[in-house]
Amino acid sequence: MDMVASGTGRVVGSAGENIGKVAQVFLDDQTGRPEWVTAKAGMFSGESFIPVAEASLNGNELAVPFTEDEIKDAPRVRGEAGHLSEAEEARLYAYYGLNCSDIAS
């Protein structure tokens, strides 16, 4: 994950499409492990949050089980100072169809 976080990493979607360059990595407050990355999906969209729970790392590519459209349409949250609030995190997990209590354990 260090290579991905260093600015050379790219996010690849479920259909093999290039989503974009990893902009930020957000760590779990309790474990310190990567939990979210942000990437710019689409020319006119801002950074989107993408969960890494079901992602796989291959060199400097982070393959995620979501399409570019799913990522582009994800809820916009602030993620200030490298941190997501519990409400923001719950909203994102719900959007991606993931159960945050399963991820945390």
Side-chain angles (χ1 to χ4, degrees):
M1 188 59 96
D2 290 339
M3 182 178 279
V4 170
S6 71
T8 61
R10 302 200 70 74
V11 178
V12 177
S14 60
E17 72 276 34
N18 181 36
I19 303 299
K21 185 174 161 181
V22 172
Q24 299 179 69
V25 176
F26 285 71
L27 306 177
D28 181 271
D29 289 340
Q30 295 175 346
T31 66
R33 290 184 287 190
E35 191 167 14
W36 300 93
V37 295
T38 63
K40 187 172 180 179
M43 185 178 291
F44 300 108
S45 65
E47 288 180 22
S48 296
F49 278 81
I50 308 160
V52 298
E54 297 180 356
S56 60
L57 190 58
N58 183 16
N60 70 338
E61 290 186 346
L62 185 67
V64 297
F66 309 106
T67 66
E68 182 176 10
D69 285 339
E70 287 174 301
I71 293 168
K72 184 174 54 178
D73 294 339
R76 296 289 175 231
V77 297
R78 292 190 177 269
E80 295 181 18
H83 176 79
L84 289 172
S85 72
E86 287 184 23
E88 289 172 324
E89 199 166 40
R91 186 172 163 215
L92 286 166
Y93 275 128
Y95 172 79
Y96 283 109
L98 300 171
N99 185 333
C100 58
S101 63
D102 290 343
I103 304 294
S105 49

